[in-house]
Amino acid sequence: MAQRVAITRNADLLVRDPTELDSAPKRAWGASRPRELQEVLTSLGDVLLADSVPLMAKFNAAKIIGMLDKSGPILAEPSGMPGNRLTELAKTALSTVCNQSPAHRSLVIALLAVFGRLDWYKGKYGPFGSVNFEENHQHALLVGPGALEHRTDLRIGLTVLAPYTRFPDHHQNHSRVFLPLTFGEFRFGDDDWIYSSNGEVLFNPAGRQCAIRCTAKPLVTLWCHIEGHAG
């Protein structure tokens, strides 16, 4: 087990430590966005901009979707990272999401198609995290610094939690939109826990605390924010 580092609630634990990217092997970048990634982003836009999405979530999502009209450098080769227990848990959980709208089904199918290209990483431990948090979670960036599409103006991430895992409580520096694709529980600031249904779009303004947990089934959630919109 990796050694735990003392982290306070003031750390945004969804954001990858930039020192990890500085020490990562150099990558080859291409110019054109691959069809598989474009299908993810198109389907994500359809879900986040639906009529039923709450106003502030839709407002922030619309800005992100608009920024995606211009693509960034694209990772020219798959990450080559082998699948693991959490990846397989996520694939199984996503494959059961069959009772959603056509937009949700399209998003899940597109997301599964890019799993083999994602670079998975671990976050840091923090307050109220599960005892076995390190081995029961992982993140990947689809769009963002060092991601499948490299850019520094926004991030679109994917987080997987194994069953009965609580993500450490943490401070979020950016206004963030969440799209849980499986059942999960979220709490923002001092509000009550939100028992999210599959595909429910959630929003947490910048500067608030965030807590995430799941019970008997794994949680797979997408999240996105604009860089520089902190505080």
Side-chain angles (χ1 to χ4, degrees):
M1 180 182 296
Q3 183 178 3
R4 291 179 179 173
V5 179
I7 301 292
T8 70
R9 290 195 188 189
N10 292 326
D12 192 335
L13 301 182
L14 284 177
V15 176
R16 190 172 191 176
D17 188 337
T19 61
E20 295 182 20
L21 293 173
D22 293 341
S23 61
K26 298 300 181 181
R27 294 176 156 189
W29 301 98
S32 60
R33 182 181 286 164
R35 176 180 57 83
E36 295 86 353
L37 179 58
Q38 183 59 60
E39 290 178 353
V40 172
L41 300 179
T42 299
S43 297
L44 179 62
D46 291 341
V47 173
L48 295 183
L49 301 182
D51 292 341
S52 60
V53 173
L55 178 61
M56 287 307 297
K58 184 185 293 187
F59 175 74
N60 280 265
K63 292 191 288 186
I64 292 171
I65 299 303
M67 294 167 69
L68 291 169
D69 285 344
K70 182 179 180 180
S71 65
I74 304 299
L75 184 62
E77 74 285 336
S79 69
M81 296 182 66
N84 57 35
R85 176 181 63 92
L86 290 169
T87 304
E88 295 307 312
L89 275 175
K91 288 181 178 179
T92 300
L94 289 174
S95 68
T96 64
V97 181
C98 58
N99 60 343
Q100 301 300 310
S101 69
H104 285 88
R105 288 196 296 271
S106 297
L107 175 58
V108 167
I109 292 170
L111 191 58
L112 288 171
V114 301
F115 257 50
R117 297 177 62 92
L118 297 177
D119 181 12
W120 297 97
Y121 65 94
K122 297 288 188 181
K124 293 181 178 179
Y125 191 78
F128 302 108
S130 301
V131 173
N132 296 323
F133 171 70
E134 287 92 341
E135 55 263 42
N136 284 330
H137 85 285
Q138 64 182 15
H139 311 286
L141 279 182
L142 287 86
V143 178
L148 182 55
E149 179 171 321
H150 173 73
R151 53 197 299 163
T152 58
D153 56 345
L154 62 89
R155 297 184 195 227
I156 300 176
L158 179 68
T159 294
V160 179
L161 299 182
Y164 299 107
T165 299
R166 176 163 174 168
F167 196 90
D169 292 14
H170 61 286
H171 180 91
Q172 297 204 332
N173 298 322
H174 305 82
S175 293
R176 187 167 289 145
V177 178
F178 290 90
L179 175 58
L181 296 171
T182 61
F183 181 82
E185 302 175 22
F186 294 76
R187 187 177 67 190
F188 303 133
D190 295 325
D191 297 344
D192 293 333
W193 284 94
I194 300 169
Y195 298 87
S196 67
S197 58
N198 298 352
E200 182 178 1
V201 181
L202 308 174
F203 174 71
N204 192 31
R208 299 188 79 197
Q209 297 292 321
C210 176
I212 308 171
R213 67 188 182 191
C214 60
T215 53
K217 296 183 179 180
L219 170 63
V220 183
T221 185
L222 286 162
W223 49 269
C224 53
H225 69 247
I226 298 173
E227 291 289 304
H229 282 220

